[in-house]
Amino acid sequence: MDEALRARVDELAREVDRLRALEAIRDRVHGFSRALDRLDRTLLAAQFWPDAEVDYGVFYKGNVAGFLDVAMGFQGAMRDTQHLVGNVLAQVDGDRASAEAYVHAHHVIVQGDDLVQLMVGARYLDRFERRNGEWRISFRTEVIDWGRWLPVPERWFEQNNEMPKGRRDRDDLSYRYLLPR
């Protein structure tokens, strides 16, 4: 192979590696949100390296093992959650990367006989590392940009039985459709 062709092949290989890294990073960001919504501790843990650190300010600051307990308890106290992730901007530098991802999180909380919706606009700020070819989060923090606490006066969701309803565990219908990893 001549030098020009070899240089082009090498350039394409680097670009494919970068694109694969970006997709793996997006998968981790989305996997984090899915794990919260399904209350899937195993899936949540799989997004992080075991030695990862998490800094959520006064809510939690420390190693990922402790964060798993806090996150599952906090999210599990809510009747419903849905974390919608978008605008994922990632920068890759060799085996390290950083990312910012916007999230709109919707939570329904039971307070006595009432329901309250907590809506949050936030951003996940992450550092990633690739180890043995696998990308995972090595550091995570979250910045809240806005939030709303609103009463939910209607009970349409509870009364509507025309469609299957999501569950917050591994009995959710999605586990029958998504391929195991």
Side-chain angles (χ1 to χ4, degrees):
M1 182 176 317
D2 72 11
E3 274 187 53
L5 183 56
R6 168 56 57 202
R8 181 68 176 135
V9 168
D10 290 347
E11 178 185 348
L12 289 172
R14 284 190 300 275
E15 183 63 10
V16 167
D17 184 59
R18 186 183 75 80
L19 293 172
R20 289 180 70 192
L22 292 173
E23 193 60 26
I25 288 165
R26 276 192 286 273
D27 280 352
R28 293 294 180 200
V29 172
H30 291 128
F32 177 87
S33 292
R34 181 169 194 269
L36 292 180
D37 292 337
R38 300 286 69 82
L39 294 175
D40 188 334
R41 183 188 181 94
T42 302
L43 180 61
L44 186 61
Q47 308 316 304
F48 294 89
W49 289 113
D51 60 347
E53 293 291 317
V54 178
D55 184 353
Y56 273 46
V58 297
F59 180 71
Y60 181 82
K61 184 174 184 174
N63 65 36
V64 70
F67 175 74
L68 297 175
D69 294 334
V70 170
M72 289 292 100
F74 181 74
Q75 296 294 324
M78 299 179 195
R79 191 194 74 178
D80 308 308
T81 65
Q82 190 172 66
H83 294 75
L84 304 174
V85 177
N87 296 0
V88 179
L89 173 64
Q91 299 171 328
V92 178
D93 183 16
D95 290 334
R96 298 190 181 279
S98 58
E100 175 187 61
Y102 284 66
V103 60
H104 284 187
H106 299 267
H107 312 84
V108 176
I109 302 164
V110 177
Q111 289 191 319
D113 292 335
D114 298 323
L115 296 178
V116 176
Q117 183 178 38
L118 170 61
M119 297 185 301
V120 175
R123 289 172 286 137
Y124 299 144
L125 302 174
D126 296 317
R127 286 196 295 259
F128 291 83
E129 291 179 11
R130 177 170 47 188
R131 301 178 189 173
N132 299 318
E134 182 178 12
W135 288 96
R136 290 193 193 184
I137 300 167
S138 59
F139 178 82
R140 154 69 58 94
T141 191
E142 182 175 334
V143 175
I144 296 177
D145 293 316
W146 58 267
R148 303 287 181 276
W149 183 269
L150 304 168
V152 179
E154 43 74 22
R155 298 291 179 143
W156 175 88
F157 183 79
E158 291 87 351
Q159 297 165 359
N160 181 345
N161 292 313
E162 297 172 9
M163 301 260 319
K165 290 193 168 104
R167 293 183 48 99
R168 302 200 65 216
D169 55 29
R170 287 185 166 262
D171 290 329
D172 185 76
L173 193 58
S174 65
Y175 284 91
R176 287 193 258 160
Y177 286 85
L178 296 174
L179 298 175
R181 292 183 152 202

